[in-house]
Amino acid sequence: MNKNCIVIGSGFSSLSAACYLAKGGWDVSIYEKNNTVGGRASQFIKEGFTFDMGPSWYWMPDIFDKFFADFNKQTSDYYQLDKLSPAYKIFFSDDIITIGDSMDKICVEFERIEPGSSKALKKFIAQAQENYDIAINKVVLRPGLSPLELVTKETILKVDQFFKTISSQVRKSFKNPKLVSTLEFPVLFLGAKPSNTPSFYNFMNFADFGLGTWHPKGGMYKVIKAMESLAKELGVKIHTNAPIEKIQVTNGKATGVTCNGKTINADVVLSGADYHHSESLLDEKYQQYSQSYWDKKVFAPSSLLFYIGLDTKLKNVEHHNLFFDTNFELHAKEIYDSPKWPTNPLFYANFPSITDASMSPEGCETAFFLVPIATALEDTEALRSQYFDLIMDRFEKRTGQDIRKNIIFKETFCVKDFVERYNSYKGNAYGMANTLTQTAFLRPNLRSKKVVDLYFTGQLTVPGPGVPPALISGKLVSELIIKDN
């Protein structure tokens, strides 16, 4: 008789783990508290407008390819993938940088900004590519159980890059502040200040410039639907509107869960929900990490999000747009060093209907705006409204168009919603930052140290935040479960 596993949550990592376990012969059941699968990668549809509520960047396509290939599938079996050209635009106060879909185009743009910089860029990206190969094929494929996992002949040669920072490395090669900001931007996906992120993580720059930015037709939720379809093909049972109230433990062993007042037994319990919340489902004596542990950790930002339907097409913008027309370092300080609502925030604007007509009604535009903010901030409608006006003023000025009169509807999402919808600790949006002291074996463990047959996956554990790491996290924990059983 097959062993069975209950998986809590249905985000990327949970779906990934469920697929691998089912392939390994396990009976798997997913329990999702919300009414649709996807976790933070949910979808919102209104009046013909389609929004990805969470992740909207498709980077590192090789990781998605490898995931589906593990099941003898291809991404094209489930969704159409298009490379964006250009990848994105960055708006500064006095200029706009366009990141093309090839290194040649990006080098031309760097030369325009800082003559001679393309030579330094090629060298920087070549090193980033080396790091990417080591990270993806060596480091992130290890379950974070021991510091020795980081010791390979490749990482030994790169050891200094774990003690230098992205910021120092970038500034050593590039002087123009716009180019510095452009190269520091990808580590924001890792949820930490560039000055606190090991320079080894410049592999994200290769993911950006080397591998490009892609778009699944219909949005990122198409990837979730693909994984849901694959899971069901493999026999995984998925239950929605099924919040877990307690993880059952008998004599130090996980034996099941309580859901909607009913106890469901299992041989193994795996939680892909927020790690802090998952531990709150246990009696205190079975919790591995104290409140003081969580309070000392550096969390990636929360976000203020706006989902807007516009009755017009936009001009002077691309699918992805970054507004860096204010002080990058001040905003970072107001997220990490002295947390407060930002004085003048950077923000991100996403208009998927520019390249994908299926995302909005004809002649209209689907608009998604994101402001990174510190976690655990006061969250009121007045503050949301204040910051909407603040970023709209800048957006309209920098792009030369008045769009407020074209708004059909506007929905907002912020700290309180992250807590309520995703049980997110302090309302974090991206999990725990990848600082040196929160890397690999120094992150919360995939396997409980106090409860047998209890495991965790997702962005607060190994290997870290982001969609591709979430896919890998699911694979790592499934391998651990199969090995242990």
Side-chain angles (χ1 to χ4, degrees):
M1 187 173 172
N2 292 345
K3 288 203 167 189
N4 66 73
C5 178
I6 284 175
V7 179
I8 303 172
S10 65
F12 280 109
S13 57
S14 292
L15 287 168
S16 170
C19 289
Y20 283 111
L21 286 169
K23 180 188 174 188
W26 284 63
D27 290 333
V28 184
S29 297
I30 289 175
Y31 290 82
E32 165 58 50
K33 76 180 280 283
N34 294 309
N35 60 1
T36 58
V37 298
R40 298 179 197 224
S42 298
Q43 186 183 63
F44 168 54
I45 298 175
K46 183 172 181 177
E47 297 180 31
F49 294 85
T50 300
F51 301 86
D52 285 312
M53 293 185 69
S56 60
W57 292 74
Y58 192 106
W59 273 7
M60 302 163 72
D62 51 320
I63 302 300
F64 296 87
D65 292 342
K66 286 176 184 175
F67 171 78
F68 286 104
D70 282 343
F71 303 92
N72 296 314
K73 301 285 187 181
Q74 301 177 61
T75 55
S76 58
D77 293 333
Y78 297 99
Y79 53 88
Q80 176 186 323
L81 198 58
D82 298 309
K83 191 173 188 181
L84 296 182
S85 177
Y88 54 93
K89 272 187 177 181
I90 307 177
F91 290 78
F92 294 95
S93 57
D94 59 350
D95 202 355
I96 299 170
I97 289 182
T98 300
I99 301 301
D101 62 348
S102 70
M103 272 299 296
D104 287 345
K105 292 177 184 176
I106 297 168
C107 283
V108 169
E109 188 72 336
F110 267 57
E111 283 291 327
R112 180 181 70 81
I113 302 292
E114 184 180 312
S117 62
S118 64
K119 185 177 178 182
L121 179 64
K122 287 174 183 174
K123 184 178 177 182
F124 181 84
I125 296 300
Q127 185 188 63
Q129 184 172 1
E130 283 181 21
N131 289 354
Y132 186 87
D133 183 54
I134 294 168
I136 299 308
N137 295 314
K138 303 285 184 183
V139 177
V140 302
L141 296 178
R142 314 219 169 170
L145 302 178
S146 161
L148 295 177
E149 291 174 4
L150 289 178
V151 182
T152 69
K153 64 179 186 291
E154 293 88 359
T155 56
I156 287 171
L157 295 173
K158 301 272 186 178
V159 68
D160 63 314
Q161 292 185 37
F162 286 94
F163 296 97
K164 295 176 182 175
T165 68
I166 287 278
S167 187
S168 64
Q169 186 191 24
V170 168
R171 288 158 198 264
K172 183 178 174 183
S173 302
F174 302 91
K175 304 307 175 197
N176 186 284
K178 297 185 187 73
L179 299 187
V180 169
S181 293
T182 299
L183 289 167
E184 288 183 345
F185 141 69
V187 302
L188 294 178
F189 281 77
L190 300 172
K193 289 169 63 178
S195 57
N196 287 341
T197 304
S199 64
F200 180 77
Y201 284 104
N202 74 358
F203 68 77
M204 290 296 290
N205 292 105
F206 174 70
D208 180 1
F209 289 2
L211 299 177
T213 302
W214 301 73
H215 172 71
K217 187 174 181 183
M220 285 292 287
Y221 197 67
K222 288 292 185 183
V223 187
I224 287 290
K225 295 302 288 182
M227 294 177 74
E228 179 189 28
S229 296
L230 176 60
K232 288 178 176 178
E233 289 172 42
L234 292 163
V236 176
K237 300 175 187 69
I238 299 176
H239 306 272
T240 53
N241 297 307
I244 301 302
E245 289 131 24
K246 190 173 181 63
I247 296 173
Q248 296 292 339
V249 180
T250 305
N251 298 325
K253 180 194 179 312
T255 55
V257 298
T258 301
C259 175
N260 290 324
K262 180 182 174 186
T263 297
I264 305 152
N265 296 322
D267 296 307
V268 166
V269 175
L270 165 62
S271 183
D274 181 278
Y275 206 121
H276 175 270
H277 171 72
S278 300
E279 288 233 303
S280 77
L281 301 174
L282 294 160
D283 291 337
E284 190 172 344
K285 66 180 178 179
Y286 294 126
Q287 295 172 9
Q288 306 169 87
Y289 304 106
S290 65
Q291 191 57 47
S292 63
Y293 168 90
W294 294 110
D295 287 341
K296 289 173 186 172
K297 292 300 170 185
V298 179
F299 275 79
S302 185
S303 297
L304 169 58
L305 302 162
F306 299 101
Y307 308 106
I308 301 167
L310 297 169
D311 67 4
T312 186
K313 298 302 288 183
L314 296 177
K315 60 183 182 181
N316 304 327
V317 289
E318 298 295 341
H319 184 126
H320 296 294
N321 308 269
L322 300 164
F323 285 79
F324 285 8
D325 51 329
T326 58
N327 190 308
F328 188 107
E329 291 177 15
L330 175 62
H331 190 177
K333 285 178 183 175
E334 291 173 338
I335 291 175
Y336 295 106
D337 301 339
S338 50
K340 59 183 175 182
W341 278 90
T343 307
N344 214 358
L346 298 95
F347 65 93
Y348 160 60
N350 173 28
F351 310 108
S353 47
I354 285 177
T355 55
D356 182 354
S358 71
M359 302 289 283
S360 73
E362 188 175 353
C364 297
E365 211 82 272
T366 291
F368 168 106
F369 291 85
L370 182 154
V371 181
I373 57 172
T375 56
L377 293 182
E378 177 190 19
D379 174 14
T380 66
E381 288 303 321
L383 280 164
R384 295 185 189 198
S385 181
Q386 174 188 334
Y387 277 82
F388 177 73
D389 287 336
L390 190 154
I391 66 169
M392 277 300 115
D393 286 345
R394 280 168 45 204
F395 176 82
E396 291 181 336
K397 180 181 178 183
R398 292 297 294 121
T399 65
Q401 59 197 322
D402 174 11
I403 67 168
R404 273 176 270 209
K405 66 182 185 303
N406 298 108
I407 294 175
I408 301 170
F409 65 83
K410 177 186 76 178
E411 301 285 347
T412 65
F413 199 94
C414 198
V415 175
K416 287 194 295 190
D417 302 297
F418 278 102
V419 174
E420 182 181 333
R421 185 176 174 89
Y422 307 128
N423 294 314
S424 168
Y425 182 61
K426 293 185 176 181
N428 79 81
Y430 306 106
M432 192 182 285
N434 264 342
T435 60
L436 180 60
T437 56
Q438 296 180 175
T439 294
F441 67 97
L442 296 172
R443 297 180 72 80
N445 213 289
L446 290 169
R447 181 203 286 131
S448 173
K449 299 170 186 173
K450 290 193 174 183
V451 180
V452 177
D453 292 328
L454 175 61
Y455 300 81
F456 303 87
T457 188
Q459 57 187 3
L460 268 73
T461 182
V462 179
V467 176
L471 297 179
I472 294 168
S473 184
K475 182 176 186 177
L476 291 174
V477 78
S478 67
E479 290 171 346
L480 205 54
I481 291 169
I482 292 168
K483 180 183 174 186
D484 289 348
N485 286 271

